[in-house]
Every structure is written in structure tokens, then in C-alpha cells.
């Protein structure tokens, strides 16, 4: 039965916290634990998690805000579950952050945390809603309002993250698949299929794959293992077709082999799709090659505020997807949520995020996209690019008028098939210095003396992005660069970017809670710095009006001393 946790709002008069010396208690309140309690723990909307519990009378749940807080600490500190539980039991800072005044209060078994994660996962499967992600957005929105963080300018970047799977080759996976099937069949079936099982169950799958050397030998073994796997699946289909292990192995066979007229042929490596199975334990992990590096797992996309006037920048959105997802798709998926929750006006990204669809959606929503890099061939610096022409557009995003670098304007006309064109006055262009040195792209036509320029809608949009990029490049600072440090901060608790969990849902939960803790640390540093500045600027008797005090002191002290000395002599 669901019950909210209000006890932390009524601290006990006698507790371990109040028994601390005053200086230690103040230090505890000003530490990360105090900020965690005020800025995160107290903002958790427990009612949103009520759907995970039965409505009928039963034993009350362990406080939801405690469980969510522990999930944030696990990701923020990079703790294992055992380390998390030990700190919950005996670490005074952790207990203070979770609203407990003394040790021993609120004790529960660690399996309660496992059940909570299981319920979160089941709800995500049934409803398609990640309650931890919703909690992060809700808490962040409250922090933005209370701390007066401007959200008009935001930046975005993606990074590769790996789940807790081994880096297995195709041969390794195929042999492991046979061994998984061997574990679920009966003893009679093992004897019946011994011809196919025995060669691949004598040793660990990784040892089998390690002993095979060379590309030709590996290809030969992949073919043999595939034939054995096909034969085993054919035999086990009637009894095991609905078993999860059977279905996973069947998918692995289908992705790695061609089957025609009962003839099995192994696919070449380049024939395998990026979404093919990379692990028998993580069915959603995918494969991607980026900048000559190979990744197996997922891509995480982070969005944060970047207004230069902000004293504090906060992460506003966390996304996790298969790592073969394009950055442009991630921006498209996040756009509506960011516009609904924040005052987004300008998005700063690298060159991988724009697309025709994003250009149109951003224009409709009134959001400007600034790239810090443009994909494609760099323009010739000796000749004008379309971005050097100023092109105005109507409300539908169609070009209306184009102005050349020399200042001459011409109306834009839509072509009969595709694209747009404009014609400039011949007498003006003929005497233009840019035409004389052959820098301008406008050229006269055979039948029409006017100078002609044409472009497609896609070229027009690229030119608009290039103009915004050049304007941003000439600014005093690069707004996008700092987001890379944010990416590192979120991934820092996980060595080499490898998370200790598997599956898209659990990866998402850990990345979201890690971002929660990054925001918390930023708020803590921001408030600590402001408190120190206030303390330095607080006047006391000898600092306030110091010049006046010094003058009075220098004048009055000698007189008082003289009067006292005279009285002493009398």
C-alpha cells in the first residue's frame, strides 16, 4: 500500500544529528548532504510513484523518496548495491540527505531496492513511461524556477555508453548460444543431440573462440557452428519455441546466416546490420563505428542550459537510445519536451544534429539552431558561398528575397520543377568588383543578360545554418564547448563509460540519476560560493566605514590615554 513520507519534515528533538557539536552540525548542513535534502529529496513527488503499489490495505511501502534518493546516490558516487546499502546503514551524511536524524531509523532489506527497480521496469514496459526520468524533469523544472536559471539558450551533445556485456566476437556468440541451449534441454535430448552439442560444450565459449586463429579459420568455424545451431533449433522447435533462450538464439541465427532451400550460408561482416545482436544478455545493445572507433551499446544525449548570464547551468534533458541512432533524430525526439518545459529559443549543437525535418520543426517552433560545425565540403574561400548572400523567408520558410554581398537585391522565384532562382540587374553586376575578380557565383545567361543564381531548399537551409555558425564563431566564446565537460561529469562514475547494468531501461535510469547528481553538485557549489561571497561582503564594526572608524580611533585614543595618565598622576 502506498503511503507518502512526511516524517522527515518533523525532525526529532533528540537525535544523532542534534547531538553533534554546533560546528559539526553546521558543516553537515552546508555539505552536499544538506543540499541533497533541500534541493532534491524534498522536491520528489512521491504521488507519481503510487501507480507501482496496490491500493488494497497492506503493509506500507518503504518511502519512495528514500528509494529514489538511493538510486541517485548509486549513480552519482558510482557505488555498487552493497556499497550503497552499507552507506545507507552507517554513513551519517547519507542518512541526513535522506531525512533521517539517527542511525537505525527507516531500516529495510536491500532486496526492497531490487523490487522497486523491477516495478519501475514493468511499468515502463506496460505504459512506456520511465518514472525516474519524469521525476528528474519535475525536480529540474522546480530548481530552474527557484534558482532563476535562464533556459532560452541550451546546448546538446551525445556520447557513447556501454552496458555490462563482454566484447564477444561472432564465433564467441554462436558457441555461447549452443551452450545456452544445452543448459535448458533434458538429459535425453542432450544424448540425442550429442553429435551437435559435444564439440562446443567441452570448454568455455571464449576459450573455443580464442583457439581459432586467422580469418579463414574463423569463417570456416562460423559456418560449422551455424550448421550445428540450425540443426539443434530444428529439433527443439516443437517443445522450446516459446522459451526466451530459444527465441534469442533464433534471432542470432537469422541475423548471421542466409537460409535458402535449407542451405545455410554465413553472412559477411559487412552484411550484418548495425542493430544485430551484440550480446545474449542485452538484446537492445547495437553496434556503431564512429571516428574509426567501434562501440557496442547505447548513445546518451544530454541537454543543458548555456545562457552566459546564468551563474549556474543545469542539465534539462537526458535521452538514451540504440547507438546507431542519428543525433538529428535525438534532437527531433527531445524538441517538443524541451519547448513544453522550458523557454527554449536557441539550441547550440555540433554539425551532426541538423536535418531537413529538424530545420522545419525548429522554424515552426521559433527556435534558432546554431551549429559549431557544418557537415560536407568546405566552401572555397576565394569564392562567395550561398551563405554570403542574405536571403529572407516568409512564414512558411520559403525564400522571398536575396541580397548579394555587394548589396543588390532580387526577388526569388520558384523553379518549374525543384529549387529557386533569382536574377540581378545586368548593368549593376557587370561593374561589380566581385564580378571582376570572379568571386561572385551569379553568372549571366545566354538569352537573358541578367545575372542568374539558383539553389535548392536544402542548400538554402544549409546556408542559413552556416550564417548562424559564422556569427557564433565570431562571438567572444564558444557556447557548445562546455557541454563536453558535462558529458564527462555524467559518465565519470562509470569507468571507461561502461555502466554496471544491461538493457536500455536500466541504462536510462542510471544516466538520468547521474545527471540528477551532477545538477546537485552544481547547485551545492553555486550556493556555497554565494554564501562565501556574502560572508566576505558582510560588514563588521571595524570594516564598515573603516576610514571614519580609523580617524575617530586615532583622534580619541590618544586623548583618552592622556586623560587617564593625568588622573593617575593626580
Amino acid at each position: 500500500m502506498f503511503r507518502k513520507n512526511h516524517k522527515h519534515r518533523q525532525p526529532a528533538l533528540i537525535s544523532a544529528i542534534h547531538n553533534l557539536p554546533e560546528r559539526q552540525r553546521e558543516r553537515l548542513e552546508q555539505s552536499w548532504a544538506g543540499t541533497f535534502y533541500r534541493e532534491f529529496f524534498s522536491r520528489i513527488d512521491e504521488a507519481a510513484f503510487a501507480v507501482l503499489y496496490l491500493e488494497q490495505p497492506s503493509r506500507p511501502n518503504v518511502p519512495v523518496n528514500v528509494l529514489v534518493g538511493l538510486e541517485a546516490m548509486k549513480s552519482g558516487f558510482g557505488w555498487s548495491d552493497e556499497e550503497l546499502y552499507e552507506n545507507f546503514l552507517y554513513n551519517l551524511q547519507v542518512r541526513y540527505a535522506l531525512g533521517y536524524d539517527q542511525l537505525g531509523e527507516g531500516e529495510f532489506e536491500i532486496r526492497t531496492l531490487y523490487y522497486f527497480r523491477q516495478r519501475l521496469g514493468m511499468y515502463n514496459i506496460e505504459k512506456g513511461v520511465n518514472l525516474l526520468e519524469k521525476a528528474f524533469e519535475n525536480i529540474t523544472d522546480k530548481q530552474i524556477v527557484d534558482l532563476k536559471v535562464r533556459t532560452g539558450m541550451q546546448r546538446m551533445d551525445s556520447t557513447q555508453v556501454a552496458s555490462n556485456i563482454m566484447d564477444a566476437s561472432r564465433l564467441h556468440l554462436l558457441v555461447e548460444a549452443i551452450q545456452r541451449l544445452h543448459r535448458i534441454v533434458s538429459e535425453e535430448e542432450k544424448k540425442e543431440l550429442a553429435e551437435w552439442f559435444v564439440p562446443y560444450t567441452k570448454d568455455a565459449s571464449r576459450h573455443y573462440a580464442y583457439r581459432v586463429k586467422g580469418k579463414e579459420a574463423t569463417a570456416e568455424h562460423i559456418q560449422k557452428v551455424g550448421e550445428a545451431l540450425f540443426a539443434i533449433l530444428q529439433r527443439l522447435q516443437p517443445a522450446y519455441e516459446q522459451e526466451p533462450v530459444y527465441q534469442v538464439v533464433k534471432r542470432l541465427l537469422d541475423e548471421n546466416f542466409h537460409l535458402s532451400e535449407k542451405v545455410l550460408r554465413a553472412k559477411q561482416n559487412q552484411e550484418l546490420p548495425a542493430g544485430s545482436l551484440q550480446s545474449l544478455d542485452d538484446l537492445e545493445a547495437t553496434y556503431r563505428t564512429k571516428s574509426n572507433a567501434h562501440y557496442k551499446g547505447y548513445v546518451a544525449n544530454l541537454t543543458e542550459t548555456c545562457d552566459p548570464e546564468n551563474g549556474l547551468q543545469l542539465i534539462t534533458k537526458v535521452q538514451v537510445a540504440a547507438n546507431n541512432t542519428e543525433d538529428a533524430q535525438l534532437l527531433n525526439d527531445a524538441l517538443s519536451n524541451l519547448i513544453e518545459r522550458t523557454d527554449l529559443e536557441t539550441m547550440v549543437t555540433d554539425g551532426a544534429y541538423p536535418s531537413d525535418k529538424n530545420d522545419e520543426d525548429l522554424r515552426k517552433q521559433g527556435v534558432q539552431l546554431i551549429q559549431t560545425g557544418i557537415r560536407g565540403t568546405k566552401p572555397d574561400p576565394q569564392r562567395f558561398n550561398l551563405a554570403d548572400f542574405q536571403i529572407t523567408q516568409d512564414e512558411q520558410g520559403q525564400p522571398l528575397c536575396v541580397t548579394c554581398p555587394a548589396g543588390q537585391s532580387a526577388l526569388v522565384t520558384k523553379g518549374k520543377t525543384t529549387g529557386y532562382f533569382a536574377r540581378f540587374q545586368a548593368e549593376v553586376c557587370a561593374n561589380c568588383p566581385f564580378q571582376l575578380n570572379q568571386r561572385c557565383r551569379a553568372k549571366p545567361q545566354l538569352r537573358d543578360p541578367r545575372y542568374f543564381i539558383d539553389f535548392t531548399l536544402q542548400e538554402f537551409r544549409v546556408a542559413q545554418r552556416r550564417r548562424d555558425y559564422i556569427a557564433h564563431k565570431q562571438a567572444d566564446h564558444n557556447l557548445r564547448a562546455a557541454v563536453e565537460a558535462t558529458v564527462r561529469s555524467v559518465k565519470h562514475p562509470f569507468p571507461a563509460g561502461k555502466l554496471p547494468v544491461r538493457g536500455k531501461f536500466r541504462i536510462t535510469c542510471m544516466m538520468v540519476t547521474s545527471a540528477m547528481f551532477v545538477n546537485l553538485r552544481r547547485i551545492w557549489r553555486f550556493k556555497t560560493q554565494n554564501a562565501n561571497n556574502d560572508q566576505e561582503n558582510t560588514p563588521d564594526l571595524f570594516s564598515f566605514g573603516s576610514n571614519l572608524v580609523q580617524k575617530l580611533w586615532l583622534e580619541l585614543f590618544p586623548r583618552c590615554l592622556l586623560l587617564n595618565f593625568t588622573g593617575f598622576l593626580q
Side-chain angles (χ1 to χ4, degrees):
M1 183 179 69
F2 173 76
R3 180 180 296 177
K4 288 186 178 181
N5 176 23
H6 297 296
K7 190 175 182 181
H8 66 96
R9 302 188 183 277
Q10 300 174 347
L13 295 177
I14 301 176
S15 66
I17 304 297
H18 290 88
N19 289 335
L20 290 173
E22 183 177 356
R23 289 188 61 184
Q24 294 184 22
R25 188 168 64 250
E26 290 179 356
R27 187 181 182 115
L28 177 63
E29 291 173 354
Q30 295 171 4
S31 69
W32 69 266
T35 305
F36 187 99
Y37 173 76
R38 293 185 296 271
E39 299 293 336
F40 177 78
F41 182 81
S42 298
R43 298 182 188 275
I44 297 174
D45 180 16
E46 294 181 275
F49 294 84
V51 294
L52 303 179
Y53 299 90
L54 297 175
E55 296 182 359
Q56 63 190 34
S58 59
R59 184 177 179 180
N61 61 290
V62 173
V64 168
N65 48 13
V66 172
L67 297 175
V68 174
L70 287 172
E71 286 292 281
M73 291 181 190
K74 174 181 172 64
S75 299
F77 290 113
W79 287 336
S80 66
D81 285 338
E82 287 296 329
E83 290 173 325
L84 177 67
Y85 192 59
E86 290 290 322
N87 279 280
F88 169 74
L89 294 178
Y90 307 115
N91 189 323
L92 189 60
Q93 277 188 301
V94 169
R95 298 192 64 79
Y96 181 76
L98 298 175
Y100 290 123
D101 293 315
Q102 51 194 357
L103 298 176
E105 185 181 5
E107 183 182 357
F108 61 87
E109 293 295 329
I110 192 173
R111 63 175 178 270
T112 303
L113 196 58
Y114 303 153
Y115 295 153
F116 179 66
R117 293 171 186 165
Q118 183 181 27
R119 287 195 293 269
L120 286 172
M122 293 301 299
Y123 187 80
N124 182 70
I125 293 173
E126 295 172 1
K127 305 295 183 180
V129 177
N130 188 330
L131 293 178
L132 278 182
E133 184 178 359
K134 293 297 181 183
F136 163 75
E137 294 177 358
N138 183 42
I139 293 170
T140 303
D141 292 347
K142 293 177 182 177
Q143 293 169 344
I144 286 172
V145 173
D146 289 350
L147 298 171
K148 297 179 174 57
V149 179
R150 296 177 178 85
T151 59
M153 300 184 69
Q154 300 187 44
R155 55 193 169 208
M156 180 179 287
D157 197 20
S158 63
T159 183
Q160 297 291 318
V161 293
S163 63
N164 191 21
I165 59 176
M166 68 173 63
D167 188 10
S169 64
R170 289 177 64 188
L171 181 59
H172 185 171
L173 281 178
L174 292 168
V175 175
E176 179 66 24
I178 291 180
Q179 294 186 0
R180 296 284 179 95
L181 291 173
H182 186 261
R183 295 172 196 165
I184 67 171
V185 299
S186 63
E187 292 298 327
E188 293 76 9
E189 289 167 326
K190 289 179 181 178
K191 294 178 181 179
E192 182 180 346
L193 298 171
E195 176 186 359
W196 304 110
F197 275 133
V198 171
Y200 308 107
T201 56
K202 294 179 179 179
D203 204 351
S205 55
R206 63 180 181 276
H207 293 162
Y208 182 98
Y210 179 77
R211 288 193 293 266
V212 179
K213 305 294 183 181
K215 292 184 178 180
E216 293 183 0
T218 300
E220 181 181 348
H221 279 265
I222 287 176
Q223 180 66 32
K224 290 182 178 180
V225 176
E227 292 172 356
L229 195 57
F230 178 70
I232 294 171
L233 289 175
Q234 289 289 96
R235 171 62 180 81
L236 298 180
Q237 182 177 2
Y240 294 89
E241 188 175 10
Q242 301 303 319
E243 291 290 331
V245 173
Y246 181 96
Q247 294 174 356
V248 171
V249 174
K250 180 66 166 57
R251 173 188 165 184
L252 180 67
L253 183 75
D254 294 340
E255 290 175 346
N256 282 269
F257 295 88
H258 291 292
L259 178 62
S260 58
E261 298 180 357
K262 297 187 178 181
V263 176
L264 199 71
R265 181 179 62 83
K267 293 181 180 179
Q268 299 297 320
N269 289 340
Q270 58 269 23
E271 295 182 272
L272 297 179
S276 61
L277 199 64
Q278 303 298 314
S279 169
L280 298 177
D281 299 305
D282 190 339
L283 309 184
E284 298 169 292
T286 52
Y287 180 86
R288 182 173 184 176
T289 299
K290 184 177 181 180
S291 300
N292 297 324
H294 308 289
Y295 301 95
K296 294 181 180 180
Y298 301 86
V299 60
N301 194 63
L302 304 177
T303 308
E304 69 172 353
T305 60
C306 64
D307 194 309
E309 297 185 11
N310 283 339
L312 166 72
Q313 310 292 1
L314 294 179
I315 301 173
T316 56
K317 182 72 176 176
V318 180
Q319 299 165 265
V320 174
N323 70 357
N324 56 359
T325 305
E326 293 293 333
D327 289 350
Q329 183 62 48
L330 294 171
L331 171 59
N332 187 266
D333 293 341
L335 189 59
S336 59
N337 178 266
L338 289 171
I339 292 174
E340 180 183 354
R341 294 173 44 232
T342 66
D343 300 323
L344 180 64
E345 296 176 352
T346 304
M347 178 64 74
V348 184
T349 69
D350 59 23
Y353 285 87
S355 67
D356 292 342
K357 188 176 189 312
N358 286 346
D359 286 340
E360 184 64 20
D361 291 343
L362 289 165
R363 185 195 61 78
K364 289 179 179 179
Q365 299 291 348
V367 178
Q368 181 186 21
L369 179 66
I370 297 178
Q371 297 175 248
T372 57
I374 304 291
R375 280 182 170 180
T377 306
K378 293 183 178 180
D380 185 356
Q382 303 300 322
R383 291 178 57 83
F384 286 133
N385 183 266
L386 187 61
D388 296 311
F389 291 74
Q390 185 175 358
I391 304 175
T392 59
Q393 54 185 325
D394 59 16
E395 296 180 355
Q396 286 72 38
Q398 302 298 316
L400 289 177
C401 180
V402 57
T403 302
C404 74
Q408 184 185 178
S409 299
L411 294 176
V412 175
T413 304
K414 190 171 183 179
K416 293 182 179 180
T417 54
T418 58
Y420 301 83
F421 64 88
R423 292 186 176 93
F424 296 95
Q425 295 180 16
E427 57 274 13
V428 177
C429 288
N431 299 317
C432 177
F434 297 131
Q435 277 290 340
L436 297 177
N437 60 18
Q438 298 183 350
R439 291 195 62 190
C440 187
R441 61 182 288 165
K443 298 298 178 184
Q445 297 177 277
L446 295 176
R447 299 182 180 180
D448 192 333
R450 290 178 296 177
Y451 281 66
F452 179 83
I453 182 176
D454 65 327
F455 53 89
T456 64
L457 184 60
Q458 183 178 9
E459 290 174 331
F460 161 64
R461 288 172 174 168
V462 172
Q464 292 292 96
R465 295 200 296 266
R466 191 179 296 277
R467 288 178 63 88
D468 294 336
Y469 161 68
I470 293 173
H472 173 72
K473 190 176 181 180
Q474 294 172 349
D476 294 336
H477 50 269
N478 186 338
L479 293 177
R480 198 201 72 87
V483 74
E484 296 181 1
T486 299
V487 169
R488 182 187 180 280
S489 298
V490 175
K491 292 174 62 176
H492 181 71
F494 317 115
K498 187 171 185 177
L499 279 64
V501 294
R502 303 186 186 106
K504 179 183 174 182
F505 173 75
R506 287 294 294 138
I507 295 287
T508 302
C509 289
M510 294 209 73
M511 292 300 293
V512 165
T513 48
S514 180
M516 288 180 182
F517 218 88
V518 169
N519 279 351
L520 173 72
R521 286 192 177 102
R522 291 180 176 183
I523 295 172
W524 175 42
R525 287 195 297 266
F526 175 73
K527 292 203 166 186
T528 301
Q529 182 178 2
N530 286 348
N532 292 337
N533 292 338
D534 292 341
Q535 187 174 3
E536 292 176 0
N537 296 327
T538 301
D540 55 30
L541 177 62
F542 296 97
S543 62
F544 178 72
S546 57
N547 292 334
L548 177 61
V549 172
Q550 289 177 6
K551 289 181 180 179
L552 292 174
W553 180 254
L554 292 175
E555 291 180 4
L556 295 177
F557 179 72
R559 294 182 183 182
C560 294
L561 185 61
L562 180 61
L563 290 174
N564 289 338
F565 183 70
T566 305
F568 174 74
L569 292 177
Q570 292 177 351

